[in-house]
Amino acid sequence: MKPQQAITKSTLQIACGTAALSVVMLLIYFLSGQFSWHVVASAVLGGSWAVANFFLMGLTVQKAAQDDARAKNLMQFSYSLRMLFSALVMILGFTVPIFEPIAVVAPLLFPRLTILGMQLSGQYKPEPKTESERGEE
């Protein structure tokens, strides 16, 4: 399935925001004297999964919108799998010696912070509700 343009655009925005926040995190590690290649590897692991998780969520929503009959089950299954992989990434971050746990976990929060920043700056505005959606309230 080919991702819709909106998913690609949103994922690119999340990737840029996650990368920028990862650089800030690395700068903080550098200024605190804790910087090492372990921190960089951790930021790459956490940041990569955070962006992939967002992209997979977008693909799932796209697929669910095309298949109303299975939409709820598809969304629940996707959520469960993505949370499982998020847990595995965190377990790797805490158990494998080459990773710095905080530097793995922090980037998992960066997509949410990116969206918040976009909302506050006016770059992201939810789609206006249609007549049928207003009637369901």
Side-chain angles (χ1 to χ4, degrees), residues 14-90:
I14 294 300
C16 290
T18 299
L21 290 169
S22 293
V23 168
V24 170
M25 179 184 73
L26 293 174
L27 184 61
I28 292 168
Y29 269 94
F30 179 76
L31 294 174
S32 68
Q34 301 296 315
F35 186 80
S36 70
W37 71 271
H38 299 282
V39 175
V40 175
S42 301
V44 169
L45 174 65
S48 297
W49 173 246
V51 173
N53 186 28
F54 183 85
F55 178 72
L56 292 171
M57 178 186 63
L59 283 180
T60 302
V61 170
Q62 177 182 329
K63 188 170 183 176
Q66 296 170 352
D67 188 358
D68 288 339
R70 295 183 27 217
K72 182 179 178 182
N73 289 338
L74 184 62
M75 291 297 293
Q76 287 175 339
F77 181 71
S78 170
Y79 177 80
S80 296
L81 277 181
R82 289 183 296 105
M83 290 304 105
L84 174 65
F85 278 104
S86 293
L88 291 175
V89 166
M90 287 187 272

